[in-house]
Amino acid sequence: MLEGKFEEASLLKKIVEAMKDCVSSCNFNCTENGISVQAVDNSRVLLISLLIEKDTFEEYRCDRNITLGVGLGSLSKIIGNGANSDYLTISADDDADKLNIIFEDKVKDKISEYNLKLLDIDADLLDVGPMDTDATITLPSADFAKICKDMKVLSESLQIIVTKDSALFQSVGDIGTGNIVIRPKTDIDHPEESVTISLDKPIDLSFGSKYLSDIIKATSLSQKVTIKLTDQSPGVFEYKLPSGYLRFYLAPKFDE
Amino acid sequence: TPIQNDLNEFYNII
């Protein structure tokens, strides 16, 4: 039996909104420690790795490991019915073919209950494992979202060049070029506005703008995003949850 | 134009 109660429905709403446009369905792997998902988009360029640790939940129990195959579009429709501030409880029996979703209004005496039909999903898992990182950038997630949107008007590719004291975002397209430079900054009064760059090796990588547009749909999940870059390797874009994370692994583009 | 790689080139399928 799985039962997880979110203090606010808004958290699961944001997670599903951040995932549903790149992955249509995925397995939610539930253990006593929490819920995890790994899913790859159809083009096998972008991988999503989600971990919702049990501490994220107001109440959580999972007696036996279970895998729940979920259509994210369908889940999004159902959880869209609840108010952001509602308690949201998801539950499933060990051999369930449906996921129970219950919203409890915190003010009114109102409980809404839905069932989502589960899917049998046979998906490949990729061994992403821990890896060395050449450069790590942490910046406000809203700033990163704006950089991606602004650069996308110029080109299908965004080049990220990291040196010791700056990160350069560059797009070169038919209509012209764009450059945005950010430098480390410590903001004591507003720590969420701080920018950090740590570097072992300079980085020059290009990523597809269309995939970055999918990644920045996670912006509302966290005030900061951490970007981990390694030469000739996928970039990792991490949005922290209250306890856990939503990570995107994006394959880079290479010159011929 | 740079070529888009896919993740299979970097990670093994478990």
Side-chain angles (χ1 to χ4, degrees), chain A residues 2 5 8 73 132 183 192 199 213-214 223 244 246 248:
Chain A
L2 162 79
K5 181 176 183 180
E8 295 208 325
D132 294 334
R183 294 186 202 284
E192 69 281 1
L199 185 81
S213 299
D214 281 334
Q223 290 189 313
L246 181 62
F248 297 88

Side-chain angles (χ1 to χ4, degrees), chain A residues 155-157 172-174 206 208 253-256, chain B residues 1-5:
Chain A
S155 168
E156 292 174 359
S157 300
V172 178
D174 294 338
S206 289
K253 289 179 154 190
F254 290 150
D255 285 324
E256 271 184 277
Chain B
T1 314
I3 296 172
Q4 179 67 61
N5 291 265

